[in-house]
Amino acid sequence: AVNGRIASSMKKYWAALSNGEGDVSEVRRFRRKPELGLLVSSTEDIKKISPYNWRNMGCSGLTEQELRCLLVRLGEPGMPGQADEFKKMIIARLGTKSPTDAQVLAMCSPPGA
């Protein structure tokens, strides 16, 4: 529920970054990280990702906010089986500790907002 709340509040922000709108360094970072591209890709496009590219997906350099949004996206119906290993990596990275209400509130807003 927490991850879903964060993901839905960030959806417009991810779309804006993918369209080149917003802080220049954030747009550049978003475009450089194929993992972040998953947040705005269609399910059909995600299914076309090669097994090689799935194996190269990683959590390095991603924020907790981004990881939580990715977990929601990869949990949607129709995701390919190749995404499972990346999902497990995200779950391991996030750990079992739930964020505080204040942390959740902060993750529901774009960085620097």
Side-chain angles (χ1 to χ4, degrees):
V2 167
N3 293 343
R5 185 172 147 207
I6 295 167
S8 64
S9 66
M10 293 300 296
K11 207 168 242 184
K12 286 181 183 173
Y13 178 69
W14 305 135
L17 287 180
S18 74
N19 290 325
E21 301 164 16
D23 180 70
V24 177
S25 63
E26 284 296 314
V27 169
R28 215 175 304 132
R29 182 177 171 278
F30 188 87
R31 289 181 173 167
R32 267 197 326 263
K33 297 219 166 261
E35 297 86 352
L36 296 179
L38 297 171
L39 296 169
V40 294
S41 297
S42 70
T43 301
E44 285 308 309
D45 285 343
I46 290 175
K47 286 180 179 178
K48 293 176 187 173
I49 297 173
S50 73
Y52 174 81
N53 286 336
W54 278 113
R55 281 193 303 276
N56 286 323
M57 298 269 177
C59 299
S60 179
L62 298 176
T63 66
E64 181 178 355
Q65 177 188 51
E66 293 161 345
L67 292 170
R68 291 184 180 282
C69 291
L70 281 166
L71 199 55
V72 170
R73 179 69 180 114
L74 296 175
E76 291 175 1
M79 289 296 122
Q82 297 99 311
D84 290 347
E85 285 305 311
F86 184 42
K87 256 175 65 174
K88 288 177 190 171
M89 199 184 307
I90 293 170
I91 291 167
R93 180 72 177 263
L94 288 172
T96 56
K97 189 175 174 227
S98 295
T100 65
D101 289 344
Q103 289 170 319
V104 171
L105 191 60
M107 285 187 275
C108 285
S109 300

